[in-house]
Amino acid sequence: MRSHYCGVLNEAQIGETVTLCGWVHRRRDHGGVIFLDLRDRDGIAQVVVDPDTEECFALADSVRNEYVIQITGLVRARPAGTENAEMTTGQIEVLGRELVIL
């Protein structure tokens, strides 16, 4: 069902495809790009969903806080200046490609 827990992701997984499961802690829409903070027992990971993945984007647009989802995507470094030193996973993000509402 999952390949990693949210809180254990770090720079070592950059370039890997991962599957995460958890609760939507926060959802933000920034002008066509959706950010989901996904929470599980080990922490929070930021997921980014771009409109180029139409089905995944439509589902991400419909989820709300506390929805339970499974997401598969590519781990990548956050763009310079967007890192979050207060999060253990603040140096990376997951580019979402497939989303399932559980």
Side-chain angles (χ1 to χ4, degrees):
M1 177 164 254
R2 73 169 47 92
S3 64
H4 295 78
Y5 284 99
C6 294
V8 300
L9 292 179
N10 59 42
E11 296 89 349
Q13 283 84 33
I14 290 176
E16 289 182 29
T17 298
V18 298
T19 300
L20 306 173
C21 295
W23 291 266
V24 176
H25 187 70
R26 185 176 307 136
R27 178 193 168 278
R28 301 178 310 282
D29 186 341
H30 288 236
V33 177
I34 296 173
F35 293 89
L36 302 173
D37 290 341
L38 190 64
R39 178 183 86 241
D40 66 15
R41 70 178 197 178
D42 282 345
I44 296 177
Q46 177 172 280
V47 178
V48 180
V49 184
D50 292 327
D52 62 340
T53 55
E54 292 179 25
E55 186 176 329
C56 185
F57 187 81
L59 277 173
D61 192 40
S62 73
V63 302
R64 297 294 178 257
N65 292 354
E66 298 305 315
Y67 274 42
V68 180
I69 64 170
Q70 176 187 49
I71 189 125
T72 301
L74 180 69
V75 178
R76 66 182 186 184
R78 287 193 189 190
T82 65
E83 302 91 349
N84 185 346
E86 299 196 15
M87 292 176 61
T88 58
T89 60
Q91 301 301 313
I92 56 94
E93 63 188 13
V94 176
L95 179 60
R97 293 293 180 203
E98 297 175 27
L99 189 149
V100 177
I101 298 172
L102 301 175

